[in-house]
Amino acid sequence: MSRITTLFGYESTAAEVIAGVDLTGRRAVVTGGASGIGVETVRALAAAGAEVTLAVRNTAAGERVAGQIIEDTGNNHVFVAPLELADRASVRAFAESWTGPLHILVNNAGVMAEPLNRTPEGWEHQFATNHLGHFGLALGLYDALAAAGDARVVSVSSSAHLRSDVHLDDLHFENRPYEPWAAYGQSKTANILFAVEGAKRWAADGIVVNALMPGGIRTALQRHVPEDLQRQWDQYRWKTVEQGAATSVLLAASPLVQGVTGKYFEDNNEALPNVAGENTGVAPYALDPESATRLWDLSEKLI
């Protein structure tokens, strides 16, 4: 199959990739919709007429963002609901409270390179939040996604997946030294493997699942990154939040990728294979179907 490309690229914004798309009657959930690229993802979907729910830890911040987006877009169907991805009870409560079909699920929230932190289950917190929480959410919302008939699930990954494969025999750093970036990288690889396996398992339900790298964007996601490293990053070219949300919105709503599933995108196009030493493209282990199946089965057992 040939590589999937669009007319959009690095500098394209969320508003540009969704221009002319009518999402009236379609319902979306965006995790982490109250900050960073989540805000712009919500804004673009709402501007196109979708009903959008911000699934967030801080509901007060969510209400402020929702109010501003309603004011900006004139779309009154922007809602807020509590969700703590590292808390299985919270994930379950969100899924059980949902009624009716769900057309778009954007698994956007995440934590990056934080010091070692464990959930009450003993799970490494980045893996628990970035992968297991979103995995549990998607499974909990499966019936709603299937009811839509043509639902899209979008998994926000990162080029940091190039830092680590998923260690299926030691997901939670119980038998190896903890390293924040390795843990983050592992969780981001898991986000891609989720798309690979979800695409296969849910194809008969009309559900497509894709993953993406949004690009380098200055947001609160970097709050755990040391300042000296952030200063080093200043030599690189940063995207605006509007540009950073573009690939998420493309996969969530654009007719240009209708029916596309199980892929990893960056800069609004399917990513090329990674070249050793470069920080772009997709690692072969992140698309490995055997690893994807094993991770899915193991994740189901954990949650």
Side-chain angles (χ1 to χ4, degrees), residues 279-291:
N279 198 40
T280 59
V282 62
Y285 55 71
L287 299 176
D288 180 68
E290 182 180 345
S291 292

Side-chain angles (χ1 to χ4, degrees), residues 151-217:
R152 299 189 187 193
V153 180
V154 180
S155 183
V156 179
S157 180
S158 168
S159 62
H161 84 273
L162 299 169
R163 292 175 175 265
S164 178
D165 194 354
V166 171
H167 290 248
L168 292 164
D169 58 345
D170 189 18
L171 293 171
H172 303 295
F173 291 83
E174 295 168 318
N175 302 309
R176 56 186 166 128
Y178 179 76
E179 200 286 308
W181 284 108
Y184 181 63
Q186 173 178 253
S187 74
K188 294 290 102 178
T189 294
N191 291 154
I192 305 173
L193 291 172
F194 162 73
V196 171
E197 185 68 10
K200 181 176 71 176
R201 295 197 182 212
W202 292 348
D205 303 295
I207 302 169
V208 300
V209 192
N210 292 289
L212 70 115
M213 156 62 170
I217 311 106

Side-chain angles (χ1 to χ4, degrees), residues 45-133:
L45 297 176
E51 173 194 303
V52 189
T53 297
L54 290 71
V56 295
R57 286 185 301 172
N58 185 338
T59 54
E63 294 290 355
R64 288 193 296 272
V65 170
Q68 187 61 57
I69 289 175
I70 289 171
E71 182 178 330
D72 293 344
T73 65
N75 182 349
N76 292 319
H77 301 290
V78 181
F79 307 108
V80 177
L83 176 67
E84 170 50 74
L85 286 162
D87 181 342
R88 283 187 290 177
S90 176
V91 173
R92 184 167 55 251
F94 182 97
E96 290 177 350
S97 70
W98 188 269
T99 57
L102 175 62
H103 304 85
I104 299 166
L105 172 61
V106 183
N107 289 332
N108 166 82
V111 291
M112 173 196 277
E114 65 179 5
L116 179 59
N117 184 15
R118 295 192 182 277
T119 68
E121 297 88 350
W123 299 342
E124 190 276 312
H125 188 255
Q126 293 190 80
F127 191 80
T129 301
N130 297 348
H131 169 63
L132 290 174

